[in-house]
C-alpha cells in the first residue's frame, strides 16, 4: 500500500521549511478528496502556515528600517552642509565672522562625528552637538546665519531617534522564539495531515489518495536531496518511505541536514 514517507522538517532552514509546508497545503486544498476527508487537518495546517508566514516576515526585517535609512541620509547631508558652510567662513576677511567660524570649526573637530559610525552613537553625538549650538554657541551660529542648518539638522536627528526607538519597541513586542514556535505548530499540523491521509488510504483504499501521496513523496525526495543533503530514492509502493518508517515526521531519523534555522 502507498503511504506518505517521512522527512525531518526540523532540519530545514527557515525559507525552505516555509516553502515546503506551503506547497503541501496548496496541494491539499486543491485535492478535493483530501480537502473533504481531512478537512480539520487541512484547516489546522492552513492556520499554522499563515502564522509561520507572519513570524518569518517579522524576523527578516522591520518595516521601519527603510525609513530610518532615509532619515539618516537626510541628517548626514545636512551635517555635511553645515560643516562646509562653517569651513567656507574661515578665511572671510571679516574678523567677527572668521572668529565665529573658527570657534564652530573647532567644535566640529572636537566631536569628530563620522556619518559612517554606528547609528545610535551618531544620534547621541549629534544630540549633544546640537544642544551646544542652540546654547553655548548660539551667538556664533547667529553670526554666520546658520540657524536654519541647526534647526533642520535637529529635526532630522530627532526623526532618526524616534524611528529607532519605535523599531526597538516593535522588536520588544515580538515574542521571543515566535518563529520557532510557529514552525513547530506547522510541523505538528503537517504530521497530523500525513497520519490522516495514510489512515484514510489504509481504510478506504489508496486509489483516491494516490495523487496526493505521490506528490508529497516526490516533494520529500526533492527536499531530502536539495535541502537536507541526504540520499533519497522515490518511495516504493509497499514500503512507504526510504527509511522503513511510515506516517509523519519522526524528527531525527534522517542523516545529514541543511544549515541550522536562524531562530
Amino acid at each position: 500500500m502507498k503511504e506518505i514517507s517521512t522527512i525531518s522538517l526540523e532540519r530545514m532552514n527557515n525559507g525552505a521549511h516555509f516553502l515546503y509546508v506551503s506547497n503541501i497545503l496548496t496541494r491539499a486544498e486543491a485535492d478535493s478528496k483530501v480537502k473533504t476527508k481531512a478537512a480539520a487537518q487541512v484547516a489546522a495546517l492552513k492556520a499554522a502556515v499563515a502564522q509561520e508566514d507572519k513570524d518569518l516576515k517579522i524576523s527578516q526585517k522591520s518595516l521601519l528600517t527603510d525609513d530610518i535609512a532615509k532619515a539618516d541620509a537626510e541628517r548626514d547631508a545636512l551635517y555635511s552642509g553645515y560643516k562646509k558652510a562653517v569651513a567656507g567662513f574661515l578665511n572671510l576677511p571679516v574678523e567677527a565672522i572668521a572668529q565665529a567660524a573658527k570657534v564652530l570649526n573647532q567644535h566640529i573637530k572636537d566631536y569628530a562625528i563620522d556619518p559612517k559610525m554606528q547609528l545610535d552613537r551618531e544620534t547621541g553625538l549629534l544630540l549633544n552637538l546640537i544642544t551646544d549650538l542652540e546654547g553655548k554657541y548660539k551667538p556664533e551660529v547667529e553670526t554666520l546665519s546658520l540657524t536654519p542648518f541647526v534647526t533642520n539638522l535637529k529635526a532630522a536627528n530627532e526623526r532618526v531617534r524616534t524611528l529607532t526607538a519605535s523599531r526597538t519597541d516593535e522588536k520588544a513586542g515580538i515574542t521571543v522564539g515566535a518563529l520557532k514556535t510557529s514552525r513547530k505548530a506547522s510541523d505538528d499540523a503537517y504530521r497530523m495531515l500525513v497520519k490522516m491521509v495514510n489512515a484514510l488510504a489504509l481504510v478506504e483504499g489508496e486509489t483516491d489518495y494516490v495523487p496526493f501521496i505521490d506528490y508529497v513523496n516526490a516533494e520529500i525526495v526533492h527536499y531530502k536531496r536539495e535541502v537536507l543533503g541526504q540520499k533519497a530514492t522515490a518511495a516504493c509502493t509497499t514500503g512507504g518511505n526510504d527509511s522503513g518508517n511510515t506516517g509523519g515526521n519522526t524528527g531525527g531519523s534522517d542523516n545529514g541536514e541543511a544549515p541550522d534555522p536562524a531562530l
Side-chain angles (χ1 to χ4, degrees), residues 148-160:
F149 266 114
V150 176
T151 300
N152 285 283
L153 180 59
K154 180 179 181 178
N157 197 52
E158 281 301 310
R159 279 199 297 276
V160 174

Side-chain angles (χ1 to χ4, degrees), residues 12-218:
M12 293 184 187
N13 61 62
N14 291 332
H17 184 277
F18 177 70
L19 182 59
Y20 180 83
V21 292
S22 295
N23 288 346
I24 300 305
L25 172 63
T26 298
R27 187 65 176 224
E29 290 186 311
D31 189 305
S32 59
K33 193 69 174 182
V34 172
K35 186 177 181 179
T36 300
K37 289 289 188 174
Q41 290 73 28
V42 172
L45 181 59
K46 184 174 184 178
V49 170
Q51 185 61 49
E52 182 177 341
D53 183 28
K54 179 181 177 181
D55 291 336
L56 179 60
K57 289 175 180 176
I58 290 176
S59 74
Q60 290 175 330
K61 179 182 179 182
S62 167
L63 297 177
L64 295 172
T65 300
D66 290 339
D67 292 335
I68 292 172
K70 181 179 179 181
D72 182 38
E74 290 175 354
R75 76 173 178 183
D76 289 348
L78 285 165
Y79 181 63
S80 177
Y82 169 72
K83 288 174 62 179
K84 289 179 180 178
V86 170
F89 285 115
L90 286 173
N91 298 317
L92 199 68
V94 178
E95 186 177 353
I97 293 179
Q99 181 59 32
K102 183 178 180 181
V103 171
L104 294 182
N105 191 58
Q106 185 58 50
H107 185 235
I108 290 171
K109 290 181 178 179
D110 291 342
Y111 272 88
I113 296 172
D114 182 354
K116 295 181 180 179
M117 66 176 45
Q118 196 274 330
L119 190 73
D120 297 314
R121 183 185 176 196
E122 182 185 357
T123 300
L125 289 176
L126 281 174
L127 184 64
N128 288 343
L129 179 139
I130 293 166
T131 298
D132 289 346
L133 296 179
E134 291 182 326
K136 182 179 180 180
Y137 297 114
K138 184 176 181 180
E140 285 78 9
V141 171
E142 292 179 342
T143 296
L144 302 184
S145 300
L146 295 178
T147 301
F149 266 114
V150 176
T151 300
N152 285 283
L153 180 59
K154 180 179 181 178
N157 197 52
E158 281 301 310
R159 279 199 297 276
V160 174
R161 187 181 181 187
T162 300
L163 287 169
T164 51
S166 296
R167 183 171 64 179
T168 298
D169 291 340
E170 178 186 85
K171 289 184 177 179
I174 300 173
T175 303
V176 177
L179 182 56
K180 182 177 181 179
T181 300
S182 59
R183 277 189 54 151
K184 184 179 184 303
S186 293
D187 291 350
D188 292 343
Y190 168 81
R191 281 194 284 267
M192 292 308 296
L193 176 61
V194 167
K195 288 180 179 179
M196 176 59 79
V197 172
N198 284 343
L200 288 169
L202 176 63
V203 174
E204 298 181 0
E206 65 183 38
T207 303
D208 291 335
Y209 302 99
V210 166
F212 183 72
I213 292 173
D214 284 348
Y215 171 80
V216 177
N217 281 339

